[in-house]
Amino acid sequence: MTKSNPLISIISTLQGIGHRMVERIWRLGAGARLFFLTIIYSGESFKRFHLTLREIYSTGVMSLLIIIVSAFFVGMVLALQGYNTLQKYGSSEAIGVLVALSLVRELGPVVTALLFAGRAGTAITAEIGLMKTTEQLSAMEMMAVNPISRVVAPRFWAGVISMPILATLFSMVGILGGYIVAVPLIGVDDGAFWSQMQANVDFQSDIVNGVIKSLVFGVACTMIALFEGFDAPPTAEGVSRATTRTVVISSLTVLGLDFVLTSFMLVI
Amino acid sequence: MTNNIVEIDNLSFGYKGRLLHQGINMVFPRGKVVAIMGGSGSGKTTLLRLIGGQIKPTKGQVRVNGEVVHEQDRDGIYKLRRKMGMLFQHGALFTDLSVYENVAFPMRELTDLPDSMIHDLVLMKLNAVGLRGAHKMMPTELSGGMARRVALARAIALDPQIIMYDEPFAGLDPISMGVICGLIRSLNDALGATSIIVSHDVKETFLIADYVYFVANGVVAAEGTPDDLMQSTLPFVHQFVHGDKDGPVPFHYAAGDYQTELMKKSHD
C-alpha cells in the first residue's frame, strides 16, 4: 500500500467538488431546457385534452385520499394546539381564524405540495424512468411521435392543474377537522368560530396568494418529477435513485420557494 | 431514384473518446432483407440508431431515400421516420395501453383516420401476426414471443418502406423464433419493404436474409450472401458462424498474467 500525498488528495477533493458543481449546473440547465420544450410542445395537451384529463386522474384524483386524510388530521391538531395557546390569552374564539389562516396561507399549499411530491411526483418519475428503461420513449421517437409532446406535457399540465385544486381541498378539509375539534369537542362557540374566520380571512391576500403558491409549487414539483424521470439512467438503480431525488429536491424546493413567495407577498 | 433505400457511406461514430465504427460502408437495396451481424458490443444497434437519426455520426453519412439523415432538422427526421418501422429488442410496448391501442398508437398519432378505419387496420395488422384474438389483452399478459409479434404489428402499422429489427430472436423459444423468422420474411415481401435485421442468431438470420454484413472491431469484417458466408474461410466469420469457443474473438477478456495475479496477496 502506498501512502497518499496530501497535496494530491486536496487537489482530488477540489476536483470532486468542481465536478459535482458542474454536474449540478448542467442538470439545472437541462431541467430548464426541458421546461421550455414542455411549454413549446404543450399544444397537444390542450387540443387533445383527454390525454391531460387521464393524467389528472392518475396524479390528482389518485392523490385525493392521502390529501384529505392528512388535511383532516392537520386541521384537528391545529385546533388543539391553537386552542391550548389562545385560551391563555382569553381569545379562544379566534381559533377559527387561526386554523383558516394557517391552512390557507401556508399549510394548505406547502403540505399538499410535499404530499404531492411523495405520492404523485414519485409515480411520475418512476413511470417515465421505466418507460425510458424499456425503450418506450425511444419507440415513440422512432415512430416520429415527440415524447415531450405526448408524455411530458400532459403530465406537466395535469400536475399544474391538480395542485391548486388539491391545496384548496386540503384547506377546506383542514378547516372542517379544526371545526370538529374546536366546536363539538372543546366547546368553542359555533358562531364565533365562523364569523371570526369570515371577518379576518381576506380573499386577495390570503386565499388568492395561497392559490398562487400552490400553482408555483405545482409547476416546480411536476417539472422536477418529469425531469428526474426523463434524465434517469436506464437501469433499476438509476430509476430508484431518480425517484428518491424527486422527493428530496421537490421538498427542499417547495420549502425554499415558500419562503421566497411569502416574502414577496408580505412586501406587496 | 436509387435502387438502395439506405446507404451508409464511410461512417465513423464514437463517444467518450472511443471510436465504435471506423469508415463503415453498407447499402440496403429496396425489397431485400439485409442482416447486420456481429458480437455483443460491436455497435450493431448503434447502426440502427444512426439510420433512424437518433444519434449523429462523427464522420461520414447515412442516406435514407437519398436524404442525409443527420442534416435534417427535427421535422425532416420525423418525416423520414414515418417511412420506417422499428421492432425493439424487447418489443418496447406501451405498458399502459392494450394490444389494440398499441397497434393503433401510430395511426392515432400520425394520421387523421376515423376510428372505424383504425379499427379495421389494427385488426388486419394483428391478424397478419396471428394475434387478432389477443387485441384486448394488456402487454403484461403476453408471453415474450407474443409481445414481439404485437410490436411487429405496431412497427408495420403505417406500412413502412423500411423495417428495422433489433435482435428480433433474442430470448425466444424455438417455436416463437420460427414464427418471428417467417413473419419477417413474409411481411417484407407482402409490403414490398426493406428489412434491416440486427442479430447474432446465425441460423435464423441466414434462413431469411438476402445479404449479410459482419461487423467487428468497428469495420465491416465480411459481407456476402448467407451461402457465401457459410463457406467463408475468414477466421472471424468461421468462428462466428460455427460458434467456435476460441479464435480471433478470444475467450478471455484482456487481463494481466494469470500466475502473477494469483500470487498477489491482496488487491491494491
Side-chain angles (χ1 to χ4, degrees):
Chain A
M1 293 281 271
T2 53
K3 277 187 182 174
S4 60
N5 185 332
L7 191 66
I8 291 174
S9 25
I10 291 169
I11 290 171
S12 66
T13 309
L14 287 173
Q15 272 179 337
I17 294 168
H19 178 73
R20 282 186 188 178
M21 287 293 286
V22 169
E23 199 193 309
R24 297 276 189 286
I25 293 166
W26 183 90
R27 284 173 60 81
L28 201 65
R33 185 173 175 270
L34 182 68
F35 175 67
F36 288 118
L37 286 174
T38 306
I39 301 294
I40 290 167
Y41 292 117
S42 286
E44 285 286 295
S45 308
F46 296 102
K47 260 192 270 173
R48 297 163 70 194
F49 197 66
H50 66 275
L51 295 175
T52 310
L53 215 55
R54 204 179 113 167
E55 299 308 326
I56 288 176
Y57 176 79
S58 54
T59 52
V61 178
M62 297 301 279
S63 304
L64 268 178
L65 187 67
I66 187 172
I67 295 287
I68 287 173
V69 173
S70 308
F72 199 68
F73 284 116
V74 167
M76 290 200 294
V77 169
L78 263 180
L80 276 178
Q81 293 281 15
Y83 178 79
N84 192 33
T85 308
L86 288 172
Q87 66 158 347
K88 290 176 188 164
Y89 305 99
S91 45
S92 54
E93 286 77 19
I95 186 71
V97 69
L98 181 133
V99 169
L101 284 180
S102 310
L103 282 165
V104 171
R105 281 186 180 182
E106 288 298 331
L107 292 174
V110 172
V111 179
T112 303
L114 296 177
L115 292 171
F116 183 87
R119 161 62 186 80
T122 49
I124 292 172
T125 303
E127 189 186 12
I128 295 184
L130 281 172
M131 285 179 87
K132 192 177 173 188
T133 309
T134 54
E135 295 186 305
Q136 293 180 46
L137 297 180
S138 285
M140 229 175 250
E141 273 276 352
M142 280 306 296
M143 279 180 223
V145 175
N146 186 347
I148 295 178
S149 165
R150 183 62 175 72
V151 175
V152 175
R155 282 165 176 78
F156 173 73
W157 288 109
V160 174
I161 293 167
S162 299
M163 187 77 92
I165 299 171
L166 288 173
T168 309
L169 273 171
F170 188 99
S171 298
M172 286 163 63
V173 175
I175 289 169
L176 184 72
Y179 174 83
I180 289 169
V181 167
V183 180
L185 294 181
I186 297 176
V188 173
D189 183 62
D190 193 3
F193 184 91
W194 293 117
S195 62
Q196 289 246 11
M197 194 189 298
Q198 195 178 3
N200 291 296
V201 177
D202 183 65
F203 179 73
Q204 177 62 44
S205 63
D206 299 323
I207 296 174
V208 173
N209 281 351
V211 172
I212 291 171
K213 272 187 184 180
S214 61
L215 207 65
V216 175
F217 296 160
V219 172
C221 287
T222 318
M223 209 57 234
I224 289 166
L226 288 165
F227 174 69
E228 289 297 343
F230 218 67
D231 191 51
T235 59
E237 195 200 1
V239 176
S240 133
R241 278 178 184 229
T243 312
T244 309
R245 267 203 308 269
T246 292
V247 179
V248 174
I249 299 174
S250 298
S251 305
L252 293 176
T253 307
V254 164
L255 296 172
L257 274 175
D258 185 45
F259 172 72
V260 175
L261 288 171
T262 308
S263 312
F264 276 107
M265 284 165 180
L266 288 177
V267 170
I268 294 166
Chain B
M1 194 166 72
T2 163
N3 186 43
N4 301 320
I5 193 160
V6 178
E7 292 170 324
I8 296 178
D9 196 7
N10 194 26
L11 177 125
S12 296
F13 175 77
Y15 58 92
K16 289 182 181 172
R18 182 181 162 231
L19 217 52
L20 196 59
H21 302 122
Q22 303 170 55
I24 283 195
N25 292 295
M26 289 179 182
V27 290
F28 301 87
R30 287 173 201 278
K32 301 288 182 192
V33 175
V34 181
I36 302 171
M37 305 194 77
S40 302
S42 58
K44 305 183 298 291
T45 303
T46 309
L47 281 172
L48 290 189
R49 292 190 182 277
L50 284 157
I51 295 170
Q54 285 188 302
I55 43 178
K56 288 186 178 183
T58 316
K59 218 178 92 185
Q61 53 182 224
V62 178
R63 288 188 297 274
V64 174
N65 263 338
E67 292 182 82
V68 180
V69 176
H70 73 269
E71 286 176 2
Q72 307 293 316
D73 58 9
R74 195 180 185 91
D75 289 341
I77 284 190
Y78 275 9
K79 211 173 139 191
L80 282 179
R81 284 184 191 159
R82 281 176 198 178
K83 296 170 188 160
M84 302 176 188
M86 183 154 172
L87 177 72
F88 284 82
Q89 192 171 350
H90 299 291
L93 292 177
F94 304 127
T95 41
D96 57 335
L97 301 179
S98 67
V99 165
Y100 179 94
E101 285 301 329
N102 262 285
V103 182
F105 186 86
M107 301 177 198
R108 290 201 201 286
E109 296 295 323
L110 303 172
T111 70
D112 295 320
L113 294 172
D115 273 351
S116 58
M117 196 174 282
I118 288 177
H119 175 264
D120 293 350
L121 283 171
V122 170
L123 292 186
M124 279 164 66
K125 301 295 174 191
L126 282 171
N127 200 49
V129 297
L131 290 176
R132 185 166 46 86
H135 73 274
K136 284 183 184 161
M137 291 169 86
M138 293 302 285
T140 46
E141 297 172 282
L142 304 173
S143 68
M146 285 166 86
R148 213 71 63 90
R149 280 150 73 187
V150 173
L152 183 51
R154 188 180 66 181
I156 58 162
L158 295 177
D159 297 338
Q161 294 175 15
I162 305 163
I163 313 172
M164 296 190 278
Y165 299 88
D166 185 11
E167 303 285 4
F169 313 115
L172 293 183
D173 62 77
I175 300 170
S176 303
M177 219 183 256
V179 170
I180 293 284
C181 198
L183 278 172
I184 293 175
R185 185 77 242 186
S186 60
L187 287 172
N188 186 77
D189 297 342
L191 295 170
T194 304
S195 296
I196 305 172
I197 306 173
V198 154
S199 178
H200 46 230
D201 292 287
V202 177
K203 195 180 137 204
E204 288 71 25
T205 309
F206 275 23
L207 210 61
I208 52 170
D210 295 308
Y211 202 80
V212 180
Y213 288 100
F214 268 103
V215 180
N217 301 321
V219 296
V220 175
E223 60 182 284
T225 62
D227 286 341
D228 293 342
L229 293 168
M230 282 303 279
Q231 311 301 324
S232 175
T233 51
L234 282 168
F236 170 74
V237 177
H238 191 274
Q239 185 191 5
F240 199 94
V241 170
H242 297 93
D244 299 337
K245 190 180 120 190
D246 227 338
V249 180
F251 171 69
H252 287 290
Y253 190 77
D257 184 59
Y258 192 26
Q259 274 191 342
T260 319
E261 226 165 285
L262 286 175
M263 295 302 284
K264 271 189 192 171
K265 282 184 181 169
S266 62
H267 292 284
D268 290 307

